[in-house]
Amino acid sequence: MADDGGRSARVTVVGGGVVGLTCALQLARAGHTVEVRAADAVADTTSAVAAALWFPYRAFPAESVLRWGARTLTVLTDLADDEATGVRLLPGTVVHRTPEPDLWWGEAVVGHRPATPDELPAGAPAGTRCTLPVVDMRRYLTWLLAACRSAGVEVVTTQVDRLSAVPGDVLVVAAGLRSGPLLDDDTGVPVQGQVVRLADPGLPGWLLDEDNPAGLTYVVPRGDDVVVGGTAVAGATGREPDPEVERAILERACSLVPELRGAPVLSRAVGLRPARPTVRLDRTLVDGRPVIACYGHGGSGVTLSWGCADDVVALV
């Protein structure tokens, strides 16, 4: 492989969630021969549990996150024109409970403005209104996987326990919480998130209330259902929904969005966000072979996916 990018490489991407598949797609589009090695089917990944609203959450550093997020926002906005992607643009409210909220993410969002009193849920002192992509992850991951295969990406379902067993001129490690152990990095921390999916009563927009005194609360309608969350328990590793936690989530959500009361429960899920002090996106050598790390996205895998994939392509 030539370092000047003039020749294609055989690249193996370890990880089949939204970050790994997006990297694989962009690498294939750049002319590389790409294989994905994924421990789970896409429907069983942490990505499949995501709400998923474009919004940076538990990902650092801010400057890089803003750049990656802005790029992803542009791509998702374009994808909203294709119904098959499961992406649509939807207005909503970010609730503020402090006098001077930090709207650092607003640099990437065109047209955000202060919410009017009638746009705020009961008890919320202030908020910001904006229109953002909402991604139905069931449809989006199916579309993304199909796009990868159409671009010539081979997807193999197998668990990778050591990089030396993985073929390729270049490796990309984008396996969420499984990434750190492959690279002798113990800084990753699971952040448990629980959601419940209700029948959508026809909500006109989403709601995000990170600083709710009773706990993180978000309501993200997707047409057929509405994802209601949530929790953010650092270090927890359980994947079974807790009925008591679910009751608390629903009570918080229904107090903010009364239309949800009585909505049938369609499903419930728990995911482990792959958090880290900072997103790791760099190129190193492992046993003489280039390895690009791309993990530690916290609750922002969807939000940062296309921007990070561009950087991965540049590093390859």
Side-chain angles (χ1 to χ4, degrees), residues 96-280:
H96 304 313
R97 297 184 181 274
T98 56
E100 296 182 3
D102 184 1
L103 300 182
W104 64 274
W105 52 268
E107 291 184 37
V109 179
V110 176
H112 67 84
R113 60 170 176 80
T116 60
D118 63 301
E119 292 171 330
L120 293 170
T128 293
R129 288 284 291 182
C130 51
T131 296
L132 296 173
V134 171
V135 184
D136 183 335
M137 292 304 290
R138 299 163 302 182
R139 292 165 61 194
Y140 183 70
L141 288 170
T142 299
W143 170 85
L144 188 57
L145 182 60
C148 283
R149 287 177 168 150
S150 294
V153 176
E154 182 180 0
V155 180
V156 179
T157 303
T158 183
Q159 177 147 332
V160 173
D161 295 316
R162 62 186 192 281
L163 295 182
S164 60
V166 180
D169 302 321
V170 183
L171 305 186
V172 176
V173 178
L177 287 169
R178 291 189 174 102
S179 301
L182 292 173
L183 291 169
D184 295 323
D185 174 8
D186 62 0
T187 61
V189 177
V191 178
Q192 184 192 65
Q194 181 166 329
V195 299
V196 56
R197 303 181 184 101
L198 306 179
D200 188 348
L203 298 181
W206 49 267
L207 180 74
L208 174 61
D209 189 359
E210 286 190 66
D211 298 323
N212 190 308
L216 169 67
T217 308
Y218 51 88
V219 175
V220 183
R222 305 191 300 189
D224 294 334
D225 65 6
V226 51
V227 180
V228 180
T231 60
V233 186
T237 58
R239 294 179 181 268
E240 288 299 318
D242 183 321
E244 289 299 321
V245 171
E246 181 175 302
R247 277 191 279 273
I249 289 171
L250 289 175
E251 183 54 40
R252 296 198 302 271
C254 290
S255 67
L256 295 171
V257 185
E259 297 93 328
L260 291 174
R261 293 197 184 277
V265 173
L266 302 181
S267 64
R268 44 184 61 88
V270 172
L272 302 179
R273 305 177 183 96
R276 193 174 180 274
T278 61
V279 176
R280 182 176 178 185

